[in-house]
C-alpha cells in the first residue's frame, strides 16, 4: 500500500512541476534548445539568459495587439 501511495505522490508531483513549468514559460527555453540542436547541430546554442534577451527584443520589435 505504501509503494502505491508513494508512486501516486511522485506522479502528482511530476504533473504539478510540468504544469508550473508550462505556466511560467520555463519549459519554452528547453523546447527552443532542442529545436536548435536538431535543426542546426553545429551552431552554438544561446544560453538561457541570451535566449531571454532575444525573446524580449523580438516581442518589442513585433508587438501584438493588446487591450491595455
Amino acid at each position: 500500500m505504501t509503494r502505491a501511495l508513494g508512486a501516486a505522490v511522485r506522479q502528482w508531483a511530476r504533473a504539478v512541476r510540468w504544469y508550473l513549468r508550462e505556466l511560467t514559460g520555463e519549459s519554452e527555453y528547453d523546447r527552443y534548445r532542442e529545436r536548435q540542436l536538431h535543426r542546426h547541430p553545429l551552431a552554438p546554442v544561446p544560453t538561457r539568459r541570451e535566449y531571454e534577451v532575444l525573446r524580449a527584443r523580438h516581442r518589442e520589435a513585433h508587438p501584438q495587439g493588446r487591450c491595455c
Side-chain angles (χ1 to χ4, degrees), residues 3-67:
R3 284 187 184 182
L5 181 60
V9 169
R10 281 191 300 276
Q11 184 178 2
W12 180 82
R14 277 194 303 269
V16 169
R17 181 178 183 271
W18 173 86
Y19 179 75
L20 290 174
R21 285 175 47 85
E22 291 294 324
L23 186 66
T24 61
E26 186 178 341
S27 61
E28 189 174 321
Y29 173 74
D30 297 332
R31 284 192 295 270
Y32 169 79
R33 185 176 179 278
E34 289 300 318
R35 192 169 50 245
Q36 286 298 103
L37 288 172
H38 179 35
R39 291 181 181 170
H40 310 286
L42 301 178
V45 177
T47 64
R48 185 178 297 270
R49 184 176 298 225
E50 292 169 340
Y51 171 73
E52 292 296 333
V53 170
L54 291 171
R55 199 172 128 208
R57 286 183 184 163
H58 180 75
R59 279 195 312 257
E60 290 174 4
H62 302 92
Q64 296 178 353
R66 298 186 187 117
C67 67

